[in-house]
Amino acid sequence: MQATPLSSIVEAFEEVAEIIEDGNQELALKTFCDACALVSVLFNSLGIAFKFAEMEYCAKVRGLSEASNRYSNLHYILDNDVQNDTVKCQGSLSRNLRRVRQGLDLIRALFEQFLSVYDGSLREAAQSAYTQTCAPYHSWAIRTAVAAGMYALPSRHQLLINLNETS
């Protein structure tokens, strides 16, 4: 049986969780980035409505992934940015990490909402997830554009087809 995007994501994040819960080793930045990169397919499956979020998320994951050549784990990134007082600077790896976390939170909240109600609409789930995770950080103009984009989301059925989750 061929792995689906969702099963690949679950497997990768279960590995991340095991490393964190074990506590005997630091989570390697590359392992974290590899798991995060798999999530981009979820943004993509949401269509044009989440295209900007997908581009932003992928760029931040790519930046962190490139940094894995210099930093072995997440703590080194944070320690370096704290030491250099660049945590809040645009383009800093700490800020990229925060944006990746926000993207993961958005996808997590969206799919929690989506799966909690069997016949609920994807648009309602996405709007609720966005309101919880991203809206507090966005300007009125961005929130308005996102609200309009919600109408371009695929149907629940189409999303499942997009993700090869038809069985």
Side-chain angles (χ1 to χ4, degrees), residues 22 27-28 32 38 45-46 56 60 62 68 93 96 125 148 157:
D22 180 35
L27 175 61
F32 176 74
L38 296 172
S45 69
L46 295 169
E56 173 84 2
K60 302 310 182 204
R62 194 169 31 260
S68 70
L93 294 173
N96 285 358
H157 179 72

Side-chain angles (χ1 to χ4, degrees), residues 10 14 22 35 70 102 107-108 113 130 139 141 143 165:
V10 167
E14 283 177 347
D22 180 35
R70 296 183 313 246
Q102 192 175 38
I107 290 294
R108 177 198 44 79
Q113 294 282 330
Y130 174 77
S139 68
R143 290 191 310 269
E165 295 290 341

Side-chain angles (χ1 to χ4, degrees), residues 12-128:
F13 277 96
E14 283 177 347
E15 179 186 346
V16 166
E18 283 178 26
I19 293 168
I20 293 169
E21 289 169 3
D22 180 35
N24 291 329
Q25 62 180 343
E26 291 284 338
L27 175 61
L29 182 55
K30 179 159 179 26
T31 302
F32 176 74
C33 290
D34 289 348
C36 290
L38 296 172
V39 174
S40 66
V41 72
L42 299 180
F43 282 106
N44 185 271
S45 69
L46 295 169
I48 194 72
F50 277 75
K51 192 63 176 169
F52 180 77
E54 177 189 7
M55 291 175 2
E56 173 84 2
Y57 177 83
C58 289
K60 302 310 182 204
V61 170
R62 194 169 31 260
L64 289 169
S65 187
E66 290 168 2
S68 70
N69 297 326
R70 296 183 313 246
Y71 301 98
S72 60
N73 64 55
L74 298 172
H75 289 142
Y76 288 135
I77 286 175
L78 297 174
D79 290 346
N80 184 62
D81 281 353
V82 167
Q83 184 179 14
N84 294 317
D85 197 28
T86 56
V87 171
K88 294 182 180 181
C89 293
Q90 188 171 359
S92 76
L93 294 173
S94 296
R95 189 170 164 161
N96 285 358
L97 181 59
R98 185 185 66 79
R99 294 279 180 90
V100 167
R101 194 214 71 220
Q102 192 175 38
L104 292 172
D105 285 346
L106 174 64
I107 290 294
R108 177 198 44 79
L110 189 154
F111 278 89
E112 281 176 355
Q113 294 282 330
F114 183 68
L115 295 172
S116 70
V117 180
Y118 179 74
D119 59 351
S121 83
L122 179 58
R123 185 168 57 88
E124 290 170 4
Q127 187 62 50
S128 175

Side-chain angles (χ1 to χ4, degrees), residues 146-160:
V146 168
M150 293 292 178
Y151 290 95
L153 286 167
S155 68
R156 180 184 192 95
H157 179 72
Q158 186 60 52
L159 174 64
L160 295 173

